[in-house]
Amino acid sequence: MVIKKLSILVPCYNEEKTIVVILERLLRIHLGQNLLKEIIVVDDCSTDKSYELITRFIKTDQTASIRLIKHENNMGKGASIHSAIKHAEGEVIVIQDADLEYDPAEYNKLLKPILEGHADVVYGSRFRGSDAHRVLFFWHTIGNNILTFWSNVFTGLNLTDMETGYKMIKTDILKRIRLREKRFGFEPEVTAKLSRIKNIRFYEVGISYYGRSYSEGKKIGWRDGVHAFWCLLKYNIFSRS
């Protein structure tokens, strides 16, 4: 497969403080092998000024390849990713949260195993490598480790960070998976379904992580962790479609 373009999917809900900064960073990054990039932003019915700011930003640079999709109702991160996947034209997809927890400057790290022909899927692990990691929530780390452990038990993989927001996947593979989870259950669902594809090649690379506190806008909570565990059972045991 000849890889010419990276599709960057940006789900956004009430991120008026960070959305312009992340878009600026995405436009500045230079991808290896002179890959083109397209940015697909999905505003999930934000109630702040996110949509207005995105629209204004796009108008200031008509040459930038940015597509904006707006949900008329709040549907969740997973649903935003589903909407963006339908419009992706690049050979590889990466998911980029609209906050500043993950650094787009690290895309080339994730791209390398794919461009070299080794990988079909690359996860950016917050628990590998020596890059900067903000020290936050102890129980979130325990919860993440539990979810990753049981995901590995069911899938037979040896991931260190199943819940990572940085997932880079070949587009043709992702588009043929039927995804159902509309909110944070996307992570265990997509991992379970990818793992069942015959001869698929998973890689992990270490990334930095600039986590947010709740006062800074973090949205995921303990209920999402419970639902993620249910999704592990659902898509690995009870329902495999």
Side-chain angles (χ1 to χ4, degrees), residues 81-100:
I81 294 171
H82 300 171
S83 295
I85 289 170
K86 295 175 184 177
H87 296 277
E89 298 178 352
E91 292 78 20
V92 177
I93 282 172
V94 67
I95 299 164
Q96 173 69 57
D97 289 348
D99 53 34
L100 302 176

Side-chain angles (χ1 to χ4, degrees), residues 17-73:
K17 295 180 180 179
T18 58
I19 185 61
V20 171
V21 178
I22 199 67
L23 290 175
E24 290 173 341
R25 290 187 183 181
L26 291 174
L27 292 184
R28 285 199 304 266
I29 58 172
H30 175 74
L31 300 176
Q33 298 188 14
N34 294 315
L35 290 186
L36 300 174
K37 61 194 174 203
E38 65 170 356
I39 302 166
I40 304 172
V41 185
V42 181
D43 181 82
D44 195 27
C45 197
S46 294
T47 57
D48 64 1
K49 295 181 180 179
S50 294
Y51 182 77
E52 176 186 333
L53 291 170
I54 300 165
T55 303
R56 188 185 308 161
F57 183 86
I58 293 173
K59 288 180 179 178
T60 62
D61 189 349
Q62 298 293 333
T63 63
S65 179
I66 304 177
R67 179 193 295 253
L68 175 59
I69 301 165
K70 181 173 175 58
H71 286 169
E72 295 305 317
N73 299 292

Side-chain angles (χ1 to χ4, degrees), residues 136-151:
L136 281 171
F137 315 111
F138 170 77
W139 289 110
H140 280 208
T141 302
I142 296 300
N144 196 302
N145 289 340
I146 291 171
L147 290 170
T148 297
F149 172 81
W150 282 105
S151 176

Side-chain angles (χ1 to χ4, degrees), residues 158-175:
N158 65 334
L159 295 170
T160 64
D161 193 4
M162 179 274 293
E163 283 285 306
T164 179
Y166 258 2
K167 291 177 168 65
M168 188 173 283
I169 307 165
K170 287 184 177 178
T171 304
D172 62 327
I173 292 174
L174 191 55
K175 283 196 172 187

Side-chain angles (χ1 to χ4, degrees), residues 52-229:
E52 176 186 333
L53 291 170
I54 300 165
T55 303
R56 188 185 308 161
F57 183 86
I58 293 173
K59 288 180 179 178
T60 62
D61 189 349
Q62 298 293 333
T63 63
S65 179
I66 304 177
R67 179 193 295 253
L68 175 59
I69 301 165
K70 181 173 175 58
H71 286 169
E72 295 305 317
N73 299 292
N74 179 253
M75 300 171 66
K77 177 182 176 179
S80 296
I81 294 171
H82 300 171
S83 295
I85 289 170
K86 295 175 184 177
H87 296 277
E89 298 178 352
E91 292 78 20
V92 177
I93 282 172
V94 67
I95 299 164
Q96 173 69 57
D97 289 348
D99 53 34
L100 302 176
E101 293 191 332
Y102 296 89
D103 185 359
E106 297 180 292
Y107 283 173
N108 286 313
K109 282 186 183 180
L110 280 76
L111 275 166
K112 185 178 179 182
I114 295 176
L115 294 177
E116 292 181 347
H118 302 304
D120 303 304
V121 179
V122 180
Y123 281 16
S125 174
R126 296 165 291 177
F127 306 110
R128 282 189 182 274
S130 58
D131 294 297
H133 298 81
R134 184 176 180 182
V135 177
L136 281 171
F137 315 111
F138 170 77
W139 289 110
H140 280 208
T141 302
I142 296 300
N144 196 302
N145 289 340
I146 291 171
L147 290 170
T148 297
F149 172 81
W150 282 105
S151 176
N152 288 341
V153 168
F154 293 133
T155 62
L157 300 172
N158 65 334
L159 295 170
T160 64
D161 193 4
M162 179 274 293
E163 283 285 306
T164 179
Y166 258 2
K167 291 177 168 65
M168 188 173 283
I169 307 165
K170 287 184 177 178
T171 304
D172 62 327
I173 292 174
L174 191 55
K175 283 196 172 187
R176 67 175 185 253
I177 294 175
R178 184 178 181 183
L179 295 168
R180 299 175 180 271
E181 289 299 313
K182 297 185 182 298
R183 298 191 179 275
F184 291 109
F186 169 82
E187 316 294 355
E189 179 192 12
V190 74
T191 303
K193 292 181 176 180
L194 286 170
S195 73
R196 290 198 290 271
I197 297 174
K198 187 176 180 179
N199 297 323
I200 195 163
R201 299 167 301 171
F202 266 85
Y203 272 66
E204 269 190 333
V205 298
I207 58 168
S208 57
Y209 181 61
Y210 301 88
R212 296 190 296 180
S213 65
Y214 286 105
S215 64
E216 294 167 327
K218 192 170 188 68
K219 298 180 177 72
I220 196 166
W222 67 268
R223 290 181 180 83
D224 299 301
V226 172
H227 183 69
F229 192 81

